[in-house]
């Protein structure tokens, strides 16, 4: 078979180009430590590596979201901690204000102290971070609370800012101010007792308790006194049915401190109510802690004129005490919720780090190079290329004219 010079050169050149291309690819693999330089090298592994890389990026974004969530929740928890301390200070103040040894001037001093606590509470309610006001809902650029004559007005909304912190976890990183500062049940949470402002006697009503939840009607009641101690009596009237509760039909003899029970609730009245004095039992309602503080300040500033004034002071302090206890329970609940979320973020961080390790390991198995095998392959390709170059040089130098003398 005759082989033309042109064919010989074309075949040799093509083979050398192929060998050079192969060794160049191997050299690129070694320099990048990547088995796949393009998707064509291993389509299945390339597709899988792309999926893992995307999952890795999403997991990294979740880590950023958790950091942002931790920052916001830490600010919320710190602010709620300050609110808790303020409420506890107010509760201590109420106890001090109940001392019979205090003069009117002392109570005015306590009223000024309570005013300071009110302003502190207002500052905490309007606390902010780099994202805006903490307790304004979605209206994060608007101060949520504005002080009024009766307490404060909430200008925020009920929105809760949320962040996706894991593939299956999306939780709130803020709490509306209405839920923290205005979601406090008055009285004992079921009903609230109060004395009529026109009372002239020394009767003081307790906060009461629920003895049988199934029997509670949620109705309004009036307890009205007749006669003069020690022979005074009282009547209980259900203001919804306009009838006395079962078992309390007609005037009942009054004994100071003796339990009064009806419709699943119990309470007692101490002291000596006078003829015409009355007490009200109403269903508990939600009340702003700012309203409670404002009422407390008004109670402390009111001059205790005679026995009725002292009784009004005692009843007002008792009301403030129960309402502040409700506010404290509510704030502690919100603070515990923020703390639980912070703990969950720590656990999610640990899970996210484990996922990153898994993703990195999977990508390594899909993409990384077997250095020992590839270096051996490179050495073999280098030897093959050198042999091919030498043989081509020898072959291209053959000529019949070299042997004609």
């Amino acid at each position: 078979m005759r082989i033309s010079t042109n064919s010989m050169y074309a075949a040799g050149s093509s083979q050398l180009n192929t060998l050079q291309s192969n060794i160049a690819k191997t050299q690129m693999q070694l320099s990048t430590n990547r088995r796949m330089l393009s998707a064509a090298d291993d389509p299945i592994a390339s597709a899988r590596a792309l999926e893992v890389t995307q999952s890795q990026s999403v997991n990294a974004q979740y880590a950023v979201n958790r950091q942002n969530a931790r920052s916001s929740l830490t600010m919320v928890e710190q602010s709620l901690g300050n609110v808790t301390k303020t409420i506890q200070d107010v509760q201590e103040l109420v106890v001090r204000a109940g001392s019979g040894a205090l003069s009117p001037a002392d109570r005015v001093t306590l009223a000024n102290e309570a005013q300071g606590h009110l302003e502190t509470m207002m500052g905490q309610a309007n606390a902010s971070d780099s994202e805006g006001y903490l307790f304004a809902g979605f209206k994060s650029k608007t101060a949520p609370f504005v002080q009024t004559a009766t307490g404060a007005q909430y200008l925020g909304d009920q929105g809760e800012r949320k962040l996706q912190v894991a593939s299956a976890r999306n939780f709130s990183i803020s709490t509306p101010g209405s839920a923290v500062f205005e979601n406090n049940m008055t009285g004992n949470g079921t009903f609230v007792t109060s004395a009529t402002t026109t009372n002239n006697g020394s009767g003081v009503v307790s906060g009461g308790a629920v003895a049988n939840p199934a029997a509670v009607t949620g109705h309004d009641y009036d307890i009205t006194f007749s006669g003069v101690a020690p022979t005074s009596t009282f009547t209980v009237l259900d203001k919804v049915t306009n009838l006395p509760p079962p078992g309390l039909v007609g005037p009942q003899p009054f004994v100071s401190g003796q339990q009064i029970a009806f419709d699943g609730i119990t309470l007692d009245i101490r002291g000596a109510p006078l003829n015409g004095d009355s007490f009200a039992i109403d269903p508990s309602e939600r009340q702003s802690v700012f309203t409670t503080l404002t009422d407390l300040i008004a109670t402390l500033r009111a001059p205790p004129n005679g026995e009725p004034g002292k009784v009004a002071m005692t009843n007002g302090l008792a009301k403030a005490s129960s309402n502040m206890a409700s506010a404290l329970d509510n704030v502690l609940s919100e603070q515990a919720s923020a703390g639980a979320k912070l703990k969950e973020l720590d656990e999610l961080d640990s899970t996210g780090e484990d996922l990153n390790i898994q993703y990195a390991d999977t990508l390594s198995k899909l993409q990384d190079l077997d250095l020992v095998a590839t270096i051996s392959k490179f050495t073999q390709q280098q030897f093959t290329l050198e042999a091919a170059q030498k043989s081509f040089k020898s072959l291209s130098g053959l000529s019949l004219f070299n042997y004609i003398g």
Side-chain angles (χ1 to χ4, degrees):
M1 182 179 66
R2 297 181 60 188
I3 300 176
S4 67
T5 302
N6 184 54
S7 296
M8 181 181 65
Y9 273 90
S13 177
S14 175
Q15 184 62 27
L16 287 175
N17 286 336
T18 300
L19 293 174
Q20 287 176 333
S21 177
N22 289 340
I23 198 172
K25 179 180 178 180
T26 304
Q27 191 276 331
M28 184 65 70
Q29 289 176 325
L30 288 170
S31 64
T32 60
N33 194 32
R34 286 289 184 269
R35 182 175 64 85
M36 298 179 297
L37 299 178
S38 68
D41 293 336
D42 192 336
I44 296 177
S46 294
R48 176 59 181 152
L50 179 59
E51 292 176 358
V52 174
T53 301
Q54 290 175 334
S55 298
Q56 194 176 42
S57 298
V58 171
N59 191 53
Q61 183 59 54
Y62 287 150
V64 174
N65 288 357
R66 286 193 295 271
Q67 185 59 40
N68 293 336
R70 181 177 287 103
S71 176
S72 295
L73 287 171
T74 298
M75 289 292 295
V76 169
E77 186 185 39
Q78 290 176 350
S79 183
L80 292 176
N82 293 333
V83 172
T84 297
K85 178 63 168 60
T86 301
I87 292 176
Q88 291 171 337
D89 289 343
V90 172
Q91 289 179 311
E92 180 185 347
L93 182 148
V94 171
V95 173
R96 284 187 284 131
S99 172
L102 295 181
S103 66
D106 293 332
R107 289 194 172 88
V108 170
T109 300
L110 291 178
N112 294 335
E113 184 178 340
Q115 182 67 42
H117 291 319
L118 174 59
E119 293 172 0
T120 299
M121 187 84 69
M122 186 67 66
Q124 292 299 327
N126 288 329
S128 62
D129 61 8
S130 59
E131 299 297 324
Y133 291 98
L134 298 178
F135 303 110
F138 291 144
K139 296 182 178 180
S140 57
K141 302 306 178 183
T142 301
F145 288 95
V146 175
Q147 191 168 349
T148 64
T150 58
Q153 180 182 2
Y154 181 58
L155 301 180
D157 58 26
Q158 306 307 311
E160 297 183 15
R161 287 179 288 161
K162 295 185 177 182
L163 272 180
Q164 186 83 25
V165 294
S167 59
R169 191 66 174 100
N170 182 358
F171 62 50
S172 172
I173 61 171
S174 69
T175 302
S178 56
V180 178
F181 300 97
E182 297 188 324
N183 196 33
N184 311 309
M185 299 301 293
T186 55
N188 55 32
T190 301
F191 64 92
V192 57
T193 61
S194 61
T196 304
T197 56
T198 57
N199 285 359
N200 294 312
S202 60
V204 177
V205 63
S206 68
V210 175
N212 182 7
V216 175
T217 64
H219 292 178
D220 301 338
Y221 301 91
D222 273 339
I223 301 178
T224 305
F225 283 81
S226 300
V228 180
T231 61
S232 58
T233 62
F234 68 89
T235 57
V236 181
L237 180 66
D238 185 329
K239 296 173 67 176
V240 175
T241 65
N242 207 31
L243 296 171
L248 290 179
V249 178
Q252 305 292 316
F254 171 70
V255 177
S256 177
Q258 181 174 294
Q259 184 183 84
I260 302 173
F262 55 91
D263 288 353
I265 66 175
T266 63
L267 57 98
D268 64 74
I269 298 173
R270 298 179 182 276
L274 297 181
N275 184 57
D277 286 357
S278 64
F279 300 85
I281 297 95
D282 301 301
S284 294
E285 298 178 345
R286 301 188 187 282
Q287 178 173 293
S288 167
V289 67
F290 300 110
T291 299
T292 299
L293 275 170
T294 301
D295 291 346
L296 172 62
I297 294 169
T299 298
L300 293 172
R301 293 191 186 280
N305 296 326
E307 191 64 26
K310 293 179 181 179
V311 171
M313 175 74 69
T314 301
N315 283 324
L317 292 176
K319 180 179 179 182
S321 178
S322 63
N323 289 348
M324 292 306 296
S326 175
L328 179 61
D329 290 342
N330 186 53
V331 172
L332 287 175
S333 176
E334 294 292 341
Q335 188 177 7
S337 176
K341 290 176 182 177
L342 285 171
K343 182 178 180 181
E344 184 178 355
L345 286 176
D346 291 337
E347 295 172 352
L348 290 173
D349 275 343
S350 178
T351 301
E353 291 171 359
D354 291 342
L355 281 175
N356 272 336
I357 293 174
Q358 293 177 14
Y359 291 145
D361 181 63
T362 301
L363 284 175
S364 176
K365 292 177 179 177
L366 291 170
Q367 296 178 331
D368 287 357
L369 201 63
D370 183 341
L371 287 175
V372 174
T374 307
I375 290 174
S376 299
K377 178 181 177 181
F378 180 80
T379 303
Q380 180 184 14
Q381 289 174 330
Q382 188 179 32
F383 177 79
T384 302
L385 178 61
E386 290 175 353
Q389 289 172 336
K390 291 179 180 179
S391 64
F392 181 73
K393 178 181 179 182
S394 299
L395 183 62
S396 62
L398 292 177
S399 174
L400 180 60
F401 295 102
N402 292 335
Y403 301 96
I404 298 176

